[in-house]
Amino acid sequence: NHFLEGLQEWSFIVATITEILPVAFLPNFIIQRKVLRPFRTQTGGTIMAGKLAIDRGWAINVGGGFHHCSSEQGGGFCAYADITLAIKFLFERVEAVSTAMIIDLDAHQGNGHERDFMDDNRVYIMDVFNRYIYPGDGFAKRAIKWKIELDWDTEDSEYLQKVETHMSKALREVTPDIIVYNAGTDILDGDQLGGLAISPQGIIKRDQAVFEAARKHKIPILMVTSGGYLRSTARIIADSILNLHRLQLIDQRVL
C-alpha cells in the first residue's frame, strides 16, 4: 500500500521507476493519465488473461510482463507487479489453481516476481537471462528454481538449446496448474539493453517451443510480452503469434 500510495502522490518515484528523469517535473495528474494509466491497463490485462488461460487453455496479453516490480518496489520501467497479481488472483479466486510456473525468458532477470515468491513453494521459477546486465539482484536469485545465466551476444543455437533442454527438465520436476510465460523480445540481436544476439526467427522458435511444451503437458499458459526496445519488436511479436496460430497452438480451446 505504501508503494502504491507513492505512485499516486510523487512524480519523482515514477521518474525513478521509468528511468526518465524529466517525468519528475510533470504534474501528477499528467503522470497518472499518460504514464500510470497505461501501466494499470496492461496490468489488468495480465490478470484477465490469467483467468482466460484457465478457461481456454491459453491467453496472450500484448503488454504486461513488468517483472522488475515487486509488491514492495518498482523499477526498470515496471510500476505494477502484474505477474505477481495475476498469480495471486488465480490462487485466491480459482479453485483449480494451486501451483504456478513462471518461465521468464526476457533478457533481464525477473527480480520483482522472484522477491514476491521467495518463500512460496507453490510458485516454481525458471529464469534465463544475461548475467551481466540490470538488475543483478543476488538476493532475488535465491528464488529461482531453474537458473540459466547467459553471456554477452549469445546466439540462436546455444540459446534455443538451453531454453528447450532446461524447460524440459523443469517440467519433469514439477507439473504446475498454469505457466506464466514472460516473453521478452529484448533478446533480439541489436537490442542494446538486452546484450544478446537472437534473430527474429529465433524468437519465433522460442515462443513456439514454450507453447509446445505447455500443450504436451496439458498446462494452461499465459503469455506476456515484457521488454523489447527496437522498432522491429512489434512486427516480431505479431509474426510469432501468427506462427502459434498457424500451428494451432492457439486456437479456440486447446486443452
Side-chain angles (χ1 to χ4, degrees):
N1 286 338
H2 178 72
F3 169 62
L4 292 176
E5 288 169 2
L7 292 180
Q8 293 291 331
E9 298 172 5
W10 299 105
S11 296
F12 177 76
I13 294 175
V14 179
T16 302
I17 290 170
T18 60
E19 302 178 10
I20 304 173
L21 293 183
V23 167
F25 303 101
L26 295 175
N28 192 257
F29 78 91
I30 294 178
I31 300 296
Q32 294 297 323
R33 184 181 305 164
K34 299 297 185 180
V35 181
L36 293 180
R37 185 185 293 172
F39 276 131
R40 287 194 294 269
T41 300
Q42 292 178 66
T43 298
T46 300
I47 295 169
M48 181 183 295
K51 181 63 167 60
L52 285 171
I54 297 300
D55 292 342
R56 299 181 53 174
W58 66 275
I60 298 172
N61 180 19
V62 185
F66 304 132
H67 64 158
H68 299 307
C69 186
S70 70
S71 58
E72 298 293 329
Q73 181 176 326
F77 211 75
C78 300
Y80 297 98
D82 66 318
I83 291 174
T84 296
L85 289 168
I87 291 173
K88 289 189 172 182
F89 174 87
L90 292 173
F91 284 166
E92 292 174 7
R93 303 290 183 90
V94 181
E95 188 174 345
V97 180
S98 60
T99 60
M101 176 182 286
I102 300 170
I103 298 178
D104 195 331
L105 302 186
D106 187 274
H108 301 80
Q109 176 199 353
N111 61 318
H113 58 70
E114 288 161 9
R115 284 177 171 265
D116 281 338
F117 294 116
M118 178 70 66
D119 299 312
D120 193 334
N121 291 327
R122 298 173 299 174
V123 181
Y124 185 107
I125 299 173
M126 171 180 164
D127 200 348
V128 183
F129 56 92
N130 184 337
R131 70 174 77 229
Y132 299 111
I133 61 175
Y134 178 90
D137 190 335
F139 176 77
K141 287 180 184 179
R142 293 163 48 191
I144 305 172
K145 302 297 193 302
W146 211 275
K147 177 177 63 180
I148 302 93
E149 297 182 288
L150 304 172
D151 292 320
W152 293 110
D153 298 319
T154 297
E155 297 182 348
D156 287 20
S157 57
E158 178 186 352
Y159 178 79
L160 291 169
Q161 186 272 330
K162 286 183 174 179
V163 168
E164 292 177 24
T165 299
H166 291 287
M167 181 170 57
S168 177
K169 290 178 179 178
L171 287 169
R172 284 201 298 270
E173 196 168 293
V174 61
T175 303
D177 296 318
I178 188 168
I179 291 171
V180 179
Y181 171 36
N182 198 45
T185 50
D186 52 0
I187 64 172
L188 185 64
D189 188 17
D191 193 313
Q192 295 184 358
L193 294 183
L196 302 177
I198 310 304
S199 70
Q201 194 58 36
I203 291 174
I204 291 170
K205 289 180 179 178
R206 177 201 66 174
D207 293 349
Q208 178 181 327
V210 177
F211 273 78
E212 285 177 340
R215 171 73 71 86
K216 176 182 177 181
H217 293 273
K218 295 183 168 56
I219 303 169
I221 181 169
L222 157 61
M223 171 177 159
V224 289
T225 53
S226 200
Y229 308 99
L230 295 176
R231 288 184 179 274
S232 56
T233 291
R235 180 70 260 173
I236 294 167
I237 292 170
D239 287 343
S240 182
I241 292 172
L242 287 171
N243 180 62
L244 296 174
H245 184 266
R246 219 170 9 246
L247 296 172
Q248 297 186 324
L249 292 168
I250 56 171
D251 186 20
Q252 301 301 320
R253 185 180 177 89
V254 299
L255 295 182

